[in-house]
Amino acid sequence: MAEPSDAANPADWSCPLPIGQREQVVLGHGGGGRLSAELLADVFLPALANPLLGQLADSTVVTVGGERLALSTDSFVVQPLFFPGGDIGSLAVHGTVNDLACSGAVPLHLTAAFVIEEGTDIEVLRRIATSMGAAARDAGVAIVAGDTKVVQRGHGDGVFITTAGVGRVRDGADVRPERATAGDAVLVSGSIGRHGVAVMSVREGLQFGSPVTSDSAPVHGLVAALFDAGVDVHVLRDPTRGGVAASLNEIATAASVGIVIDETDVPIDATVRSACALLGLDPMHVANEGCLLAFVPAADAERALAALHATPGGEGAVRVGSVVPDHPGMVVGHTAIGGTRIIDMPLGELLPRIC
């Protein structure tokens, strides 16, 4: 019998480099999953540490002159710049408006900074700016300051946009992931996974039988409807990068609670479901840009759903699960075939450059 080669010698086997010890940034670090969390923990939080940043919220609530304000900032690097249902300009507005709204705030003002690659067509910029202005007006906010920078050809990939926003937090609102409580109902405002699949379809030239349109839209009207209905809103989240799975895991960890999702109740368009099945993707991991997750007391669930159903963008809202005291920090799903699975945080970026 031949001797085993050196490559097969167990003494020479070694595990891959631990994720936290990577010496260079990879695309997955921008995906909103475990790699993103490790990048924050290893690099940015130690250098910039303060109690407000440590909350790791999409927007932070500060008190100025006795008034509570929500502050948020975000960057958008979507490719292609235009996709079914939106473009990088409208997306930049919706993303920041939604981050503010999910802190229980009424969005007021935005700022915008543009990094533009040399050689970009002026007409492309005009289309983006026009769309951005229309989205801001539709959302009832104003873009009150901005900046432009141009980088050399080949160093910018078209247009990058960074927005920041400020909003006024509603009186009495206390919306934090730590408020998720055993017994809470988990609500979702509509179909999930549409944005990621829509962007991917045009980028890769894929067809899935019927076109998929991004859900990119502001959700502050849905948030207002919940508060106006007197719902005791515990947690709000717009599940963008990392999808619904990432948001649920972040909430479960922050509140030290378990979350149980009935996967048969999660609304997923048939085309999105088929596309994810074809590509081996979990719809729970795919990004959204106009979807709202809400955690409310079970006693308020029906009132909350009625308020969402009566508001544009919330007609398809459903209850998809509950918060439980068991398995704290873990999200589990009851499957269509009667089984149970762990709905884990995605590792990195399944579909890069989508927001």
Side-chain angles (χ1 to χ4, degrees):
M1 180 181 294
E3 291 295 323
S5 67
D6 289 342
N9 187 346
D12 294 332
W13 295 352
S14 62
C15 294
L17 185 68
I19 294 171
Q21 295 181 16
R22 292 178 185 268
E23 295 184 356
Q24 293 182 329
V25 173
V26 298
L27 275 176
H29 280 120
R34 293 188 184 277
L35 284 175
S36 292
E38 291 186 359
L39 187 66
L40 292 176
D42 293 343
V43 177
F44 293 106
L45 291 179
L48 307 176
N50 64 75
L52 291 176
L53 184 64
Q55 296 173 12
L56 296 179
D58 286 339
S59 59
T60 298
V61 175
V62 299
T63 301
V64 179
E67 186 169 35
R68 291 193 301 159
L69 300 176
L71 306 176
S72 181
T73 188
D74 208 345
S75 295
F76 300 86
V77 295
V78 65
Q79 186 60 239
L81 300 175
F82 303 90
F83 48 84
D87 56 75
I88 192 171
S90 59
L91 181 66
V93 171
H94 296 157
T96 300
V97 165
N98 293 349
D99 284 348
L100 295 170
C102 287
S103 289
V106 178
L108 297 175
H109 303 298
L110 306 182
T111 66
F114 300 81
V115 177
I116 307 162
E117 183 183 9
E118 178 189 20
T120 300
D121 290 344
I122 295 296
E123 184 56 32
V124 167
L125 286 179
R126 184 173 288 111
R127 287 179 61 191
I128 291 171
T130 299
S131 175
M132 198 169 185
R137 289 188 293 273
D138 289 344
V141 297
I143 299 174
V144 296
D147 184 45
T148 59
K149 294 291 187 297
V150 176
V151 297
Q152 290 176 307
R153 190 186 302 268
H155 291 265
D157 202 9
V159 179
F160 299 156
I161 300 177
T162 295
T163 51
V166 60
R168 182 181 298 110
V169 180
R170 291 173 174 80
D171 291 340
D174 183 13
V175 181
R176 295 175 288 116
E178 294 83 2
R179 287 199 69 207
T181 304
D184 279 358
V186 181
L187 314 181
V188 64
S189 64
S191 297
I192 69 169
R194 288 171 47 199
H195 177 71
V197 172
V199 172
M200 178 182 60
S201 67
V202 292
R203 181 194 300 169
E204 306 298 339
L206 302 176
Q207 296 183 354
F208 302 113
S210 59
V212 179
T213 302
S214 170
D215 64 341
S216 181
V219 301
H220 64 305
L222 299 175
V223 173
L226 292 174
F227 282 103
D228 290 346
V231 175
D232 180 14
V233 181
H234 287 176
V235 187
L236 294 170
R237 184 63 64 89
D238 60 324
T240 53
R241 296 181 305 165
V244 171
S247 293
L248 292 177
N249 275 277
E250 289 168 357
I251 294 165
T253 299
S256 295
V257 296
I259 298 175
V260 176
I261 299 297
D262 190 333
E263 296 194 55
T264 60
D265 291 334
V266 177
I268 306 172
D269 289 348
T271 305
V272 171
R273 189 183 299 275
S274 297
C276 289
L278 177 66
L279 298 168
L281 301 176
D282 185 341
M284 298 284 282
H285 289 167
V286 179
N288 313 272
E289 289 292 348
C291 182
L292 179 70
L293 281 174
F295 286 52
V296 303
D300 282 359
E302 290 304 318
R303 181 152 43 111
L305 287 172
L308 293 174
H309 292 160
T311 306
E315 298 89 347
V318 293
R319 177 173 178 169
V320 296
S322 301
V323 178
V324 298
D326 306 319
H327 50 78
M330 183 181 296
V331 182
V332 301
H334 292 163
T335 69
I337 61 174
T340 300
R341 72 175 180 114
I342 296 174
I343 301 175
D344 204 359
M345 174 84 77
L347 176 62
E349 183 63 276
L350 301 176
L351 305 171
R353 303 292 304 280
I354 57 172
C355 60

